Amino acid sequence: MAYIIRADETPQIDFAPASAVEEVIQNVRTIITTIKYSIPLDRGFGIDGDVVDLPINVAQAKLTNEIFRAIRRYEPRAVIESIAFKGEDTGRLIPIVGVSINA
């Protein structure tokens, strides 16, 4: 089964998810909403924020690469099915990641 995870959704953090699926979804959402270098004990966690002010097509390509890299490293139970972006009038790109879960 595929799950859609949007970076603009901010649900409550659940420290004891009821299932492995909920845990993986929460972990993927955390990965795609965290900027690299912002976590003191793991500076490589998250996605690179250096795409700010790049042209949209270049930013999407770099973010796609970063999302694949980060999810593969930090949540190997998630299998990426798709990555899309929603654009806002402000120029903000919102990642929308489709994953299936190998739990």
Side-chain angles (χ1 to χ4, degrees), residues 1-3 5 14 17-29 31 68-81 98-103:
M1 178 174 201
Y3 300 91
I5 304 165
D14 185 358
S19 69
V21 170
E22 289 178 18
E23 180 182 358
V24 171
I25 290 171
Q26 179 172 279
N27 291 347
V28 170
R29 185 175 294 113
I31 291 167
F68 268 108
R69 179 205 56 80
I71 292 174
R72 192 172 353 167
R73 178 172 180 197
Y74 291 102
E75 189 49 86
R77 296 176 291 177
V79 177
I80 299 172
E81 301 290 336
V99 298
S100 58
I101 298 171
N102 291 332

Side-chain angles (χ1 to χ4, degrees), residues 8 10 13 18 22 30 44 61 66 78 100 102-103:
D8 59 346
T10 54
I13 301 293
E22 289 178 18
T30 300
E66 284 290 313
S100 58
N102 291 332

Side-chain angles (χ1 to χ4, degrees), residues 19-100:
S19 69
V21 170
E22 289 178 18
E23 180 182 358
V24 171
I25 290 171
Q26 179 172 279
N27 291 347
V28 170
R29 185 175 294 113
T30 300
I31 291 167
I32 66 174
T33 58
T34 302
I35 301 298
K36 194 185 283 188
Y37 309 115
S38 66
I39 306 299
L41 297 177
D42 190 355
R43 297 291 183 184
F45 184 84
I47 57 175
D48 198 355
D50 288 342
V51 298
V52 175
D53 295 332
L54 290 176
I56 285 281
N57 57 343
V58 175
Q60 286 179 345
K62 287 190 175 198
L63 282 174
T64 299
N65 182 44
E66 284 290 313
I67 290 168
F68 268 108
R69 179 205 56 80
I71 292 174
R72 192 172 353 167
R73 178 172 180 197
Y74 291 102
E75 189 49 86
R77 296 176 291 177
V79 177
I80 299 172
E81 301 290 336
S82 65
I83 297 178
F85 295 92
K86 176 184 168 197
E88 292 184 347
D89 293 338
T90 61
R92 180 178 173 210
L93 281 176
I94 300 168
I96 302 169
V97 180
V99 298
S100 58

